[in-house]
């Protein structure tokens, strides 16, 4: 099969999180070639007309979609799959609708709440939705909150200072306004779940072995979060002291079963396909909370998805082949209405 590996071309001087797509391209292309496919690497940017011409010239039978945004904007994550739908070119991974719903974290949380799935309360956003509009899925309660960008993934902009304590809602809104001013991004606050952080990857609907982030080396008082430095800054304390682990005591059996159930529920709710990852926090009472649903997560060989694939006893090439094989199944699916 002739397959175009389509990816967002990193900007000159791009940070590690944006440049990482090049690592994914080479790994995926090598896996596809091993499977006997003819591979064409196709970078793209904001010039969609040029992309249409390039695809027409290459005439791929399938696009392996690695586009994570355009020109550094995750808000544009769903543009390319939408274009591929318009062109009638099959592509791997999740649909344009699923990508859009899960990239916008506010829409994700609204759907989770409507479906009765657990997610941390969201009492405020910035810019505000309007004085008479309910701000989120929970009323303000004095306590600890985490501030997040609405659109960006890869922990962009997240450092220790995004975890804040607020005694009044006005304090929380002021912190959001300051983050918005500093970053230029829309943002929101959700209740900070002080507890364990786990994630489950899914491959063609199959739940892979769960992973937990180990914060044991973090000093007292340091927020236990996986921020930008933990993912991308190889010289940072966080990068070297947030290992993932796959070994769990027998006492966690019921919790892991519940997490797998919730991950499958997210797969169905958002009509996911190919591959995905669901991130959780588990509070002191052992109750899980869904943080994010990640469509088309990083496929770099050293990333969490590849680690889960290896833990499941699968070769990386086998996982890539299963992602390709799952494309026809998605075409008959539609994202169900919330309600």
């Amino acid at each position: 099969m002739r397959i175009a590996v389509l990816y967002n071309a990193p900007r000159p001087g791009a940070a590690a999180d944006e440049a990482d797509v090049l690592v994914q391209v080479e790994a995926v292309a090598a896996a596809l070639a091993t499977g006997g496919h003819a591979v064409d690497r196709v970078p793209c940017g904001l010039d969609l007309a040029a992309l249409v011409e390039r695809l027409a010239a290459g005439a791929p039978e399938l696009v392996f979609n690695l586009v994570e945004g355009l020109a550094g904007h995750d808000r544009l994550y769903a543009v390319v799959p939408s274009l591929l739908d318009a062109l009638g070119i099959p592509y791997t991974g999740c649909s344009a609708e699923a990508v859009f719903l899960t990239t916008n974290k506010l829409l994700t949380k609204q759907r989770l709440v409507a479906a009765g799935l657990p997610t941390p309360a969201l009492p405020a956003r910035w810019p505000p939705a309007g004085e008479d509009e309910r701000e989120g899925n929970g009323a303000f309660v004095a306590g600890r909150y985490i501030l997040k960008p609405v659109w960006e993934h890869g922990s962009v902009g997240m450092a220790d200072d995004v975890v804040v304590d607020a005694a009044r809602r006005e304090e929380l809104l002021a912190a959001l306004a300051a983050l918005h001013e500093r970053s230029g991004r829309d943002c929101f606050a959700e209740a900070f779940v002080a507890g364990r952080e786990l994630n489950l990857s899914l491959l063609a609907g199959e739940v892979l072995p769960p992973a937990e982030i180990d914060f044991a080396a973090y000093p007292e008082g340091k927020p236990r979060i996986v921020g930008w430095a933990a993912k991308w800054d190889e010289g940072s304390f966080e990068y070297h002291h947030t290992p993932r682990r796959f070994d769990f005591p027998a006492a966690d059996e019921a919790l892991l079963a519940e997490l797998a159930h919730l991950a499958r529920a997210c797969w169905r709710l958002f009509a996911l396909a190919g591959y995905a990852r669901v991130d959780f926090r588990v509070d002191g009472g052992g109750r899980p909370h869904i943080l994010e649903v990640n469509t088309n997560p990083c496929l770099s060989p050293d990333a969490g998805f590849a680690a889960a694939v290896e833990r499941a006893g699968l070769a990386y090439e086998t996982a890539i082949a299963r992602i390709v094989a799952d494309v026809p199944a998605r075409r008959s699916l539609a994202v169900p209405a919330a309600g």
Side-chain angles (χ1 to χ4, degrees):
M1 184 186 301
R2 176 167 292 280
I3 299 179
V5 178
L6 183 59
Y7 65 99
N8 47 290
R11 295 165 295 172
D17 56 328
E18 186 178 345
D20 181 73
V21 71
L22 299 178
V23 178
Q24 298 181 61
V25 170
E26 293 310 311
V28 169
L32 292 172
T34 298
H37 300 289
V39 180
D40 185 20
R41 297 164 177 80
V42 180
C44 68
L46 291 174
D47 189 344
L48 298 184
L51 174 58
V52 171
E53 291 180 3
R54 176 72 183 269
L55 291 172
E61 299 169 72
L62 176 77
V63 163
F64 200 108
N65 180 29
L66 292 178
V67 175
E68 302 172 337
L70 293 173
H73 296 286
D74 291 359
R75 185 185 288 262
L76 302 178
Y77 203 153
V79 168
V80 167
S82 295
L83 177 64
L84 295 174
D85 283 335
L87 296 174
I89 302 176
Y91 55 93
T92 60
C94 295
S95 68
E97 293 85 354
V99 168
F100 181 81
L101 287 170
T102 55
T103 305
N104 185 313
K105 300 182 185 71
L106 296 180
L107 292 179
T108 302
K109 292 179 77 68
Q110 289 172 10
R111 261 178 194 267
L112 291 173
V113 171
L117 298 176
T119 187
L122 191 165
R125 57 184 289 188
W126 197 270
E131 293 182 4
D132 298 325
E133 184 177 338
R134 185 178 178 186
E135 295 290 349
N137 62 302
F140 176 81
V141 176
R144 177 158 288 191
Y145 291 87
I146 183 168
L147 314 181
K148 296 181 176 182
V150 172
W151 291 96
E152 277 67 30
H153 68 291
S155 295
V156 169
M158 297 191 68
D160 287 357
D161 61 358
V162 300
V163 178
V164 300
D165 294 305
R168 297 179 298 112
R169 189 167 182 274
E170 290 72 18
E171 294 177 10
L172 189 57
L173 289 172
L176 286 169
L179 178 60
H180 177 76
E181 178 69 21
R182 184 169 71 247
S183 68
R185 298 183 174 97
D186 292 352
C187 50
F188 68 97
E190 71 178 16
F192 181 70
V193 179
R196 302 166 67 180
E197 179 150 337
L198 297 93
N199 62 74
L200 274 76
S201 296
L202 299 101
L203 175 62
E206 175 189 346
V207 178
L208 300 179
E212 179 170 8
I213 305 301
D214 185 356
F215 293 107
Y218 271 37
E220 184 177 355
K222 181 175 177 60
R224 298 189 167 201
I225 61 172
V226 183
W228 192 90
K231 290 184 177 180
W232 305 110
D233 184 357
E234 296 183 10
S236 70
F237 170 88
E238 292 86 349
Y239 186 90
H240 294 284
H241 294 88
T242 48
R244 70 179 67 90
R245 64 182 184 90
F246 291 96
D247 295 312
F248 294 89
D252 281 338
E253 183 176 346
L255 170 63
L256 298 181
E258 175 64 11
L259 294 179
H261 168 75
L262 292 172
R264 293 189 190 97
C266 289
W267 183 274
R268 295 190 299 270
L269 178 65
F270 293 98
L272 306 181
Y275 60 115
R277 191 187 73 244
V278 183
D279 297 341
F280 298 90
R281 295 284 289 202
V282 179
D283 64 25
R287 293 177 294 270
H289 303 261
I290 300 168
L291 296 183
E292 295 182 19
V293 178
N294 297 276
T295 51
N296 303 358
C298 180
L299 289 178
S300 292
D302 62 349
F305 185 86
V309 165
E310 181 180 6
R311 183 70 176 191
L314 300 173
Y316 183 86
E317 293 77 9
T318 300
I320 297 302
R322 288 182 63 179
I323 291 170
V324 169
D326 197 47
V327 171
R330 173 165 60 80
R331 295 308 163 194
S332 62
L333 295 177
V335 175

